[in-house]
Amino acid sequence: MKFCNACEASAIKSMFGGQGIPPSNSPHLRKSGSRPVVFDLGRNNDKKIINPGNSEMEGLLHTTESNDLKIPSLPINTAAIMPSPILLWRFKVLLFFLWGFFCCKIGWHSVMRMSVNLRDLFLYEAFLYYNPLLLVTMMVWLWGVNLWVFAQSTISYAKIFDLDQNHLTHREIWKVATWMTIIVPTSMTAYLYLYSHGEVSLAASQPVLLYCAVAFVLIFPFDIFYLSSRYYLLRTLWRIVFPLQAITFSDFFVADILTSMSKVFSDLERSVCRMVHRQVATIAWFEADSVCGSHSIGIPIALVLPYIFRLFQCLRQYKDTKEKTALFNALKYSTAVPVIFLSALKYHVLPDSWTNFYRPLWLLSGVLNSLYSFYWDVTRDWDLSCFTRIFKFNKPSLFAYLLHGRKWVYIWVIGSNLILRLAWTYKLSAHLRHNYLTVFTITALEMIRRFQWVFFRVENEWNKMSSKSNLQLAEISSEEDKLLAPNDHNV
């Protein structure tokens, strides 16, 4: 019996629930090695066997497919209407600049509302609370740049620092730095606005809330906000403060970075002191001899702590390895102690004694510390015996072309390191810290010097690890050669 194509099409469509018919070679129609598909067509229970190679059936399938195109299609996938990543990135950048513009505008108008007599003192106080976190934010940005360069080069920083597979990449570090860049100035803007509009108690709560939020995020025990990386940092800090175990590369690497941030710790000490004694947004701290004043003994103690930690690390390293180099390194960190405490003595001795005795000692100790540290950087921490490969990227890059194998890179790094080492004495000296903008600038430059130092220090460590591994491979190869060599024994 013959049936019209329309009947066959409607019967087949009824079997598939009214949806479009798969192609004739689809496995849903007939699998390899199976029997032909049998359809029950119509009222007379007649059966029609459909073979996949039947040309009539193929025409039928094409006809039904063309008819199905007239049926309203399913909703479009939402991914197809999403904006491109480049467009989203540009939108975020635009929002970031708009946020920065509004923060600057609100902060400027808030400062202009104050009287001229109190404006400088108020800015000094606001700067004291927020400049430590601003400097930490800057260091996080620079560390992201370090990781980006390491990722482009042949140096495996994850192996050097003994990191697991879940360590943060440069993109995640920059994401953290971006949030810090948003949150810290926003809190500072709120502080300026509230204080200038007479809401002193609310203004005083802004830096307190910010510091508490930072501490809470660091110790938050749940698996969010990069839990493994946060705990890795906390464990490293614990090992730095209490060097009761063998010193690893990450231990003294982070400790060296902390010495460049000693000014941050001294400002943190004074900020927390004023928060504890409820002196935020008050004039109680104006007295230099007060408990949180500029003559406080807590300032030199906070300045010297990173150097003491590093000194104890060197002594522990000498105990474990018996290498005299560790003792000379400990001597380098001990030269910072006289610079800090001789400067603090200016506020506790007579002016004549300071001018005639203590000031020359302070100058001598400052020059000694700067030159000794510079010598150690160039000859010990760095390996300048050959052109650095830190800027030799895996792929061709303009950045690598400008920096890899260029002599001016070495001239710049050595010259800037010497100048900034000498300027670092200014920051370590409490009696020279009246101009907070100057001190902030010098501290930021010191972080840039440390940022440069990281490249060559990590590369030097990688060269040491590579040479050790090559030596071990050579020893294994020689042992194998001895075992495989023919023996001349006579049986």
Side-chain angles (χ1 to χ4, degrees), residues 80-103:
I81 61 175
M82 288 292 292
S84 63
I86 297 178
L87 184 61
L88 285 176
W89 182 82
R90 291 176 179 175
F91 181 69
K92 292 178 182 179
V93 171
L94 178 61
L95 288 180
F96 183 80
F97 280 106
L98 287 176
W99 161 84
F101 172 76
F102 284 116
C103 282

PDB file of all heavy atoms in Angstrom, residues 80-103:
ATOM      1  N   ALA A  80      25.385  33.861  24.266  1.00  0.00           N
ATOM      2  CA  ALA A  80      25.554  34.507  22.972  1.00  0.00           C
ATOM      3  C   ALA A  80      25.307  36.004  23.019  1.00  0.00           C
ATOM      4  O   ALA A  80      25.765  36.746  22.163  1.00  0.00           O
ATOM      5  CB  ALA A  80      24.629  33.860  21.952  1.00  0.00           C
ATOM      6  N   ILE A  81      24.541  36.463  24.034  1.00  0.00           N
ATOM      7  CA  ILE A  81      24.230  37.892  24.125  1.00  0.00           C
ATOM      8  C   ILE A  81      25.066  38.589  25.186  1.00  0.00           C
ATOM      9  O   ILE A  81      24.851  39.766  25.445  1.00  0.00           O
ATOM     10  CB  ILE A  81      22.734  38.086  24.434  1.00  0.00           C
ATOM     11  CG1 ILE A  81      22.357  37.445  25.781  1.00  0.00           C
ATOM     12  CG2 ILE A  81      21.874  37.517  23.313  1.00  0.00           C
ATOM     13  CD1 ILE A  81      20.925  37.703  26.197  1.00  0.00           C
ATOM     14  N   MET A  82      25.996  37.866  25.816  1.00  0.00           N
ATOM     15  CA  MET A  82      26.871  38.499  26.798  1.00  0.00           C
ATOM     16  C   MET A  82      27.886  39.394  26.102  1.00  0.00           C
ATOM     17  O   MET A  82      28.374  39.063  25.022  1.00  0.00           O
ATOM     18  CB  MET A  82      27.616  37.435  27.611  1.00  0.00           C
ATOM     19  CG  MET A  82      26.734  36.700  28.601  1.00  0.00           C
ATOM     20  SD  MET A  82      26.175  37.778  29.930  1.00  0.00           S
ATOM     21  CE  MET A  82      27.723  38.062  30.778  1.00  0.00           C
ATOM     22  N   PRO A  83      28.245  40.541  26.715  1.00  0.00           N
ATOM     23  CA  PRO A  83      29.255  41.418  26.096  1.00  0.00           C
ATOM     24  C   PRO A  83      30.622  40.763  26.122  1.00  0.00           C
ATOM     25  O   PRO A  83      30.902  39.874  26.925  1.00  0.00           O
ATOM     26  CB  PRO A  83      29.210  42.678  26.974  1.00  0.00           C
ATOM     27  CG  PRO A  83      28.647  42.218  28.277  1.00  0.00           C
ATOM     28  CD  PRO A  83      27.696  41.102  27.944  1.00  0.00           C
ATOM     29  N   SER A  84      31.475  41.214  25.260  1.00  0.00           N
ATOM     30  CA  SER A  84      32.814  40.644  25.157  1.00  0.00           C
ATOM     31  C   SER A  84      33.641  40.981  26.388  1.00  0.00           C
ATOM     32  O   SER A  84      33.386  41.994  27.062  1.00  0.00           O
ATOM     33  CB  SER A  84      33.509  41.183  23.908  1.00  0.00           C
ATOM     34  OG  SER A  84      33.682  42.589  24.014  1.00  0.00           O
ATOM     35  N   PRO A  85      34.653  40.169  26.704  1.00  0.00           N
ATOM     36  CA  PRO A  85      35.499  40.472  27.868  1.00  0.00           C
ATOM     37  C   PRO A  85      36.208  41.818  27.755  1.00  0.00           C
ATOM     38  O   PRO A  85      36.419  42.503  28.755  1.00  0.00           O
ATOM     39  CB  PRO A  85      36.496  39.304  27.886  1.00  0.00           C
ATOM     40  CG  PRO A  85      35.804  38.200  27.157  1.00  0.00           C
ATOM     41  CD  PRO A  85      34.974  38.867  26.115  1.00  0.00           C
ATOM     42  N   ILE A  86      36.586  42.206  26.546  1.00  0.00           N
ATOM     43  CA  ILE A  86      37.262  43.496  26.376  1.00  0.00           C
ATOM     44  C   ILE A  86      36.327  44.637  26.725  1.00  0.00           C
ATOM     45  O   ILE A  86      36.720  45.606  27.388  1.00  0.00           O
ATOM     46  CB  ILE A  86      37.780  43.626  24.930  1.00  0.00           C
ATOM     47  CG1 ILE A  86      38.815  42.549  24.634  1.00  0.00           C
ATOM     48  CG2 ILE A  86      38.357  45.013  24.688  1.00  0.00           C
ATOM     49  CD1 ILE A  86      39.341  42.571  23.216  1.00  0.00           C
ATOM     50  N   LEU A  87      35.055  44.516  26.325  1.00  0.00           N
ATOM     51  CA  LEU A  87      34.084  45.553  26.651  1.00  0.00           C
ATOM     52  C   LEU A  87      33.849  45.634  28.162  1.00  0.00           C
ATOM     53  O   LEU A  87      33.751  46.727  28.731  1.00  0.00           O
ATOM     54  CB  LEU A  87      32.771  45.273  25.918  1.00  0.00           C
ATOM     55  CG  LEU A  87      31.656  46.325  26.071  1.00  0.00           C
ATOM     56  CD1 LEU A  87      32.129  47.666  25.526  1.00  0.00           C
ATOM     57  CD2 LEU A  87      30.392  45.867  25.360  1.00  0.00           C
ATOM     58  N   LEU A  88      33.756  44.464  28.809  1.00  0.00           N
ATOM     59  CA  LEU A  88      33.594  44.462  30.266  1.00  0.00           C
ATOM     60  C   LEU A  88      34.801  45.083  30.955  1.00  0.00           C
ATOM     61  O   LEU A  88      34.656  45.835  31.930  1.00  0.00           O
ATOM     62  CB  LEU A  88      33.394  43.027  30.751  1.00  0.00           C
ATOM     63  CG  LEU A  88      32.026  42.404  30.496  1.00  0.00           C
ATOM     64  CD1 LEU A  88      32.028  40.949  30.952  1.00  0.00           C
ATOM     65  CD2 LEU A  88      30.933  43.179  31.218  1.00  0.00           C
ATOM     66  N   TRP A  89      36.003  44.771  30.459  1.00  0.00           N
ATOM     67  CA  TRP A  89      37.207  45.332  31.060  1.00  0.00           C
ATOM     68  C   TRP A  89      37.228  46.854  30.924  1.00  0.00           C
ATOM     69  O   TRP A  89      37.574  47.564  31.856  1.00  0.00           O
ATOM     70  CB  TRP A  89      38.432  44.714  30.405  1.00  0.00           C
ATOM     71  CG  TRP A  89      39.725  45.176  30.987  1.00  0.00           C
ATOM     72  CD1 TRP A  89      40.340  44.705  32.115  1.00  0.00           C
ATOM     73  CD2 TRP A  89      40.568  46.224  30.477  1.00  0.00           C
ATOM     74  NE1 TRP A  89      41.508  45.382  32.333  1.00  0.00           N
ATOM     75  CE2 TRP A  89      41.679  46.316  31.359  1.00  0.00           C
ATOM     76  CE3 TRP A  89      40.503  47.067  29.382  1.00  0.00           C
ATOM     77  CZ2 TRP A  89      42.699  47.241  31.157  1.00  0.00           C
ATOM     78  CZ3 TRP A  89      41.520  47.986  29.181  1.00  0.00           C
ATOM     79  CH2 TRP A  89      42.601  48.069  30.063  1.00  0.00           C
ATOM     80  N   ARG A  90      36.856  47.351  29.766  1.00  0.00           N
ATOM     81  CA  ARG A  90      36.819  48.802  29.571  1.00  0.00           C
ATOM     82  C   ARG A  90      35.786  49.460  30.480  1.00  0.00           C
ATOM     83  O   ARG A  90      36.011  50.550  31.005  1.00  0.00           O
ATOM     84  CB  ARG A  90      36.512  49.113  28.103  1.00  0.00           C
ATOM     85  CG  ARG A  90      37.639  48.742  27.143  1.00  0.00           C
ATOM     86  CD  ARG A  90      37.235  48.995  25.702  1.00  0.00           C
ATOM     87  NE  ARG A  90      38.322  48.654  24.788  1.00  0.00           N
ATOM     88  CZ  ARG A  90      38.216  48.690  23.469  1.00  0.00           C
ATOM     89  NH1 ARG A  90      37.047  49.037  22.906  1.00  0.00           N
ATOM     90  NH2 ARG A  90      39.258  48.379  22.701  1.00  0.00           N
ATOM     91  N   PHE A  91      34.655  48.780  30.656  1.00  0.00           N
ATOM     92  CA  PHE A  91      33.625  49.321  31.542  1.00  0.00           C
ATOM     93  C   PHE A  91      34.119  49.387  32.984  1.00  0.00           C
ATOM     94  O   PHE A  91      33.875  50.365  33.693  1.00  0.00           O
ATOM     95  CB  PHE A  91      32.374  48.456  31.434  1.00  0.00           C
ATOM     96  CG  PHE A  91      31.230  48.928  32.287  1.00  0.00           C
ATOM     97  CD1 PHE A  91      30.558  50.103  31.991  1.00  0.00           C
ATOM     98  CD2 PHE A  91      30.835  48.192  33.402  1.00  0.00           C
ATOM     99  CE1 PHE A  91      29.510  50.539  32.782  1.00  0.00           C
ATOM    100  CE2 PHE A  91      29.793  48.619  34.199  1.00  0.00           C
ATOM    101  CZ  PHE A  91      29.121  49.796  33.886  1.00  0.00           C
ATOM    102  N   LYS A  92      34.837  48.342  33.429  1.00  0.00           N
ATOM    103  CA  LYS A  92      35.385  48.351  34.786  1.00  0.00           C
ATOM    104  C   LYS A  92      36.420  49.447  34.961  1.00  0.00           C
ATOM    105  O   LYS A  92      36.467  50.110  36.008  1.00  0.00           O
ATOM    106  CB  LYS A  92      36.002  46.982  35.099  1.00  0.00           C
ATOM    107  CG  LYS A  92      34.993  45.864  35.212  1.00  0.00           C
ATOM    108  CD  LYS A  92      35.686  44.529  35.465  1.00  0.00           C
ATOM    109  CE  LYS A  92      34.692  43.386  35.528  1.00  0.00           C
ATOM    110  NZ  LYS A  92      35.375  42.072  35.744  1.00  0.00           N
ATOM    111  N   VAL A  93      37.266  49.644  33.944  1.00  0.00           N
ATOM    112  CA  VAL A  93      38.266  50.708  34.012  1.00  0.00           C
ATOM    113  C   VAL A  93      37.584  52.076  34.102  1.00  0.00           C
ATOM    114  O   VAL A  93      37.999  52.959  34.869  1.00  0.00           O
ATOM    115  CB  VAL A  93      39.214  50.638  32.807  1.00  0.00           C
ATOM    116  CG1 VAL A  93      40.119  51.865  32.748  1.00  0.00           C
ATOM    117  CG2 VAL A  93      40.054  49.368  32.876  1.00  0.00           C
ATOM    118  N   LEU A  94      36.508  52.253  33.332  1.00  0.00           N
ATOM    119  CA  LEU A  94      35.768  53.518  33.379  1.00  0.00           C
ATOM    120  C   LEU A  94      35.178  53.753  34.763  1.00  0.00           C
ATOM    121  O   LEU A  94      35.263  54.860  35.312  1.00  0.00           O
ATOM    122  CB  LEU A  94      34.668  53.498  32.322  1.00  0.00           C
ATOM    123  CG  LEU A  94      33.753  54.739  32.262  1.00  0.00           C
ATOM    124  CD1 LEU A  94      34.567  55.991  31.950  1.00  0.00           C
ATOM    125  CD2 LEU A  94      32.645  54.543  31.238  1.00  0.00           C
ATOM    126  N   LEU A  95      34.581  52.714  35.342  1.00  0.00           N
ATOM    127  CA  LEU A  95      34.041  52.847  36.701  1.00  0.00           C
ATOM    128  C   LEU A  95      35.144  53.165  37.705  1.00  0.00           C
ATOM    129  O   LEU A  95      34.938  53.955  38.639  1.00  0.00           O
ATOM    130  CB  LEU A  95      33.316  51.561  37.092  1.00  0.00           C
ATOM    131  CG  LEU A  95      31.981  51.264  36.413  1.00  0.00           C
ATOM    132  CD1 LEU A  95      31.413  49.951  36.939  1.00  0.00           C
ATOM    133  CD2 LEU A  95      30.991  52.402  36.649  1.00  0.00           C
ATOM    134  N   PHE A  96      36.298  52.541  37.526  1.00  0.00           N
ATOM    135  CA  PHE A  96      37.417  52.782  38.450  1.00  0.00           C
ATOM    136  C   PHE A  96      37.851  54.243  38.405  1.00  0.00           C
ATOM    137  O   PHE A  96      38.065  54.873  39.453  1.00  0.00           O
ATOM    138  CB  PHE A  96      38.576  51.855  38.084  1.00  0.00           C
ATOM    139  CG  PHE A  96      39.755  51.957  38.999  1.00  0.00           C
ATOM    140  CD1 PHE A  96      39.757  51.302  40.216  1.00  0.00           C
ATOM    141  CD2 PHE A  96      40.862  52.709  38.649  1.00  0.00           C
ATOM    142  CE1 PHE A  96      40.845  51.387  41.074  1.00  0.00           C
ATOM    143  CE2 PHE A  96      41.956  52.805  39.497  1.00  0.00           C
ATOM    144  CZ  PHE A  96      41.936  52.144  40.714  1.00  0.00           C
ATOM    145  N   PHE A  97      37.973  54.806  37.213  1.00  0.00           N
ATOM    146  CA  PHE A  97      38.388  56.206  37.107  1.00  0.00           C
ATOM    147  C   PHE A  97      37.301  57.153  37.604  1.00  0.00           C
ATOM    148  O   PHE A  97      37.604  58.193  38.204  1.00  0.00           O
ATOM    149  CB  PHE A  97      38.770  56.524  35.662  1.00  0.00           C
ATOM    150  CG  PHE A  97      40.148  56.074  35.290  1.00  0.00           C
ATOM    151  CD1 PHE A  97      40.342  54.962  34.482  1.00  0.00           C
ATOM    152  CD2 PHE A  97      41.268  56.744  35.756  1.00  0.00           C
ATOM    153  CE1 PHE A  97      41.613  54.535  34.147  1.00  0.00           C
ATOM    154  CE2 PHE A  97      42.548  56.327  35.427  1.00  0.00           C
ATOM    155  CZ  PHE A  97      42.729  55.215  34.626  1.00  0.00           C
ATOM    156  N   LEU A  98      36.037  56.807  37.371  1.00  0.00           N
ATOM    157  CA  LEU A  98      34.961  57.632  37.915  1.00  0.00           C
ATOM    158  C   LEU A  98      34.984  57.614  39.437  1.00  0.00           C
ATOM    159  O   LEU A  98      34.786  58.653  40.079  1.00  0.00           O
ATOM    160  CB  LEU A  98      33.613  57.124  37.393  1.00  0.00           C
ATOM    161  CG  LEU A  98      33.296  57.425  35.926  1.00  0.00           C
ATOM    162  CD1 LEU A  98      31.973  56.766  35.525  1.00  0.00           C
ATOM    163  CD2 LEU A  98      33.233  58.933  35.684  1.00  0.00           C
ATOM    164  N   TRP A  99      35.209  56.432  39.999  1.00  0.00           N
ATOM    165  CA  TRP A  99      35.308  56.340  41.466  1.00  0.00           C
ATOM    166  C   TRP A  99      36.471  57.189  41.977  1.00  0.00           C
ATOM    167  O   TRP A  99      36.333  57.911  42.973  1.00  0.00           O
ATOM    168  CB  TRP A  99      35.507  54.881  41.864  1.00  0.00           C
ATOM    169  CG  TRP A  99      36.059  54.721  43.242  1.00  0.00           C
ATOM    170  CD1 TRP A  99      35.373  54.707  44.409  1.00  0.00           C
ATOM    171  CD2 TRP A  99      37.446  54.586  43.582  1.00  0.00           C
ATOM    172  NE1 TRP A  99      36.238  54.564  45.460  1.00  0.00           N
ATOM    173  CE2 TRP A  99      37.516  54.493  44.994  1.00  0.00           C
ATOM    174  CE3 TRP A  99      38.616  54.539  42.846  1.00  0.00           C
ATOM    175  CZ2 TRP A  99      38.717  54.349  45.660  1.00  0.00           C
ATOM    176  CZ3 TRP A  99      39.812  54.403  43.504  1.00  0.00           C
ATOM    177  CH2 TRP A  99      39.849  54.303  44.894  1.00  0.00           C
ATOM    178  N   GLY A 100      37.634  57.123  41.339  1.00  0.00           N
ATOM    179  CA  GLY A 100      38.777  57.925  41.759  1.00  0.00           C
ATOM    180  C   GLY A 100      38.504  59.407  41.653  1.00  0.00           C
ATOM    181  O   GLY A 100      38.897  60.193  42.537  1.00  0.00           O
ATOM    182  N   PHE A 101      37.797  59.818  40.602  1.00  0.00           N
ATOM    183  CA  PHE A 101      37.469  61.239  40.440  1.00  0.00           C
ATOM    184  C   PHE A 101      36.555  61.723  41.557  1.00  0.00           C
ATOM    185  O   PHE A 101      36.786  62.790  42.151  1.00  0.00           O
ATOM    186  CB  PHE A 101      36.802  61.448  39.073  1.00  0.00           C
ATOM    187  CG  PHE A 101      36.254  62.829  38.878  1.00  0.00           C
ATOM    188  CD1 PHE A 101      37.096  63.895  38.599  1.00  0.00           C
ATOM    189  CD2 PHE A 101      34.883  63.071  38.984  1.00  0.00           C
ATOM    190  CE1 PHE A 101      36.596  65.180  38.430  1.00  0.00           C
ATOM    191  CE2 PHE A 101      34.370  64.338  38.815  1.00  0.00           C
ATOM    192  CZ  PHE A 101      35.227  65.405  38.531  1.00  0.00           C
ATOM    193  N   PHE A 102      35.524  60.944  41.885  1.00  0.00           N
ATOM    194  CA  PHE A 102      34.602  61.358  42.944  1.00  0.00           C
ATOM    195  C   PHE A 102      35.285  61.366  44.311  1.00  0.00           C
ATOM    196  O   PHE A 102      35.017  62.248  45.140  1.00  0.00           O
ATOM    197  CB  PHE A 102      33.377  60.450  42.959  1.00  0.00           C
ATOM    198  CG  PHE A 102      32.403  60.736  41.859  1.00  0.00           C
ATOM    199  CD1 PHE A 102      32.144  59.794  40.876  1.00  0.00           C
ATOM    200  CD2 PHE A 102      31.760  61.965  41.782  1.00  0.00           C
ATOM    201  CE1 PHE A 102      31.269  60.062  39.851  1.00  0.00           C
ATOM    202  CE2 PHE A 102      30.867  62.242  40.756  1.00  0.00           C
ATOM    203  CZ  PHE A 102      30.613  61.288  39.786  1.00  0.00           C
ATOM    204  N   CYS A 103      36.168  60.398  44.569  1.00  0.00           N
ATOM    205  CA  CYS A 103      36.895  60.389  45.845  1.00  0.00           C
ATOM    206  C   CYS A 103      37.772  61.637  45.973  1.00  0.00           C
ATOM    207  O   CYS A 103      37.813  62.286  47.026  1.00  0.00           O
ATOM    208  CB  CYS A 103      37.735  59.123  45.966  1.00  0.00           C
ATOM    209  SG  CYS A 103      36.812  57.643  46.416  1.00  0.00           S
TER     210      CYS A 103
END
